[in-house]
Amino acid sequence: MDLAVIALTFGAIFVVELPDKTFLATLVLATKYRPVLVWIGVGTAFAVQTVVAVALGHAASFLPKSAVQSAAALLFLVGAVILFREGRSHHQDSGDEFAEKARDVHGFRAVLASFLVLFAAEWGDLSQLLTISLVAKYQNPVSVFTGALAALLAVSALAVLVGRTLLRWISLHVLHYVGAAVCLTLGVLTLAELLR
């Protein structure tokens, strides 16, 4: 293992994921279910996604860059639409009301729900694409895997820890709108880079 590659990967993924929909999705899940169960489900989803990204790292170097960027832009824009629609559907709910509706879900169901939400959300995510490109660049899959997974677990832990507190001051629909704005911005930036 190369500590420099681990540190570089951790820093890059952490910075990309902190304002990402993953943080918001984890935060919202932590208001619905017990935070430790959310973190277990989310962490498992991240582990699977990171294994897939590392495995595809070498294959990505054979694909045209424009195809990868087009797919990423499309996924960001779809994510923005989904988060905006979620924001509208929860516009009348406060974070506490939303959390109360799902408090009866415990144990494995909460872990599974968290896993499925993040597993679906992470396909084609910027962090997954970045992980693929870092593996292709450094040819050190174990170090990239270690750094990427550590960053994803750290971001999700922050979301779980501050999720309930944050929703005392910010309405749930606002968080969805912020997530939609982040996805929209990333989609537009990716399209602009593609068109250059």
Side-chain angles (χ1 to χ4, degrees):
M1 274 205 258
D2 186 336
L3 292 178
V5 173
I6 293 172
L8 176 74
T9 302
F10 179 92
I13 300 294
F14 188 86
V15 168
V16 166
E17 281 297 308
L18 197 55
D20 192 46
K21 67 184 182 296
T22 302
F23 182 85
L24 293 173
T26 304
L27 186 149
V28 170
L29 286 165
T31 66
K32 292 179 67 171
Y33 310 122
R34 286 185 51 215
V36 70
L37 298 177
V38 171
W39 195 69
I40 291 169
V42 167
T44 305
F46 282 142
V48 173
Q49 292 285 1
T50 304
V51 166
V52 171
V54 168
L56 294 174
H58 293 293
S61 64
F62 299 110
L63 296 174
K65 184 178 178 181
S66 61
V68 173
Q69 286 179 318
S70 297
L74 178 63
L75 288 170
F76 285 134
L77 295 174
V78 167
V81 170
I82 290 169
L83 284 169
F84 181 77
R85 291 180 68 195
E86 283 290 312
R88 286 186 59 185
S89 72
H90 294 290
H91 192 72
Q92 301 301 319
D93 289 342
S94 71
D96 290 334
E97 291 167 346
F98 184 68
E100 278 299 319
K101 291 177 184 176
R103 286 202 198 278
D104 60 335
V105 176
H106 300 289
F108 180 73
R109 288 180 57 200
V111 172
L112 182 62
S114 300
F115 174 86
L116 292 174
V117 167
L118 265 293
F119 188 76
E122 280 297 298
W123 284 112
D125 189 66
L126 187 58
S127 64
Q128 191 177 37
L129 296 174
L130 184 57
T131 301
I132 291 169
S133 65
L134 288 169
V135 170
K137 179 175 182 176
Y138 291 111
Q139 297 295 314
N140 193 334
V142 174
S143 296
V144 172
F145 174 83
T146 303
L149 184 57
L152 292 167
L153 291 175
V155 168
S156 61
L158 283 173
V160 164
L161 292 173
V162 301
R164 291 175 187 260
T165 304
L166 185 61
L167 284 182
R168 290 183 188 152
W169 295 292
I170 301 174
S171 298
L172 184 61
H173 69 278
V174 171
L175 292 175
H176 284 2
Y177 293 148
V178 169
V182 168
C183 286
L184 181 62
T185 301
L186 289 172
V188 169
L189 291 174
T190 304
L191 280 175
E193 185 178 328
L194 177 65
L195 297 174
R196 268 193 259 164

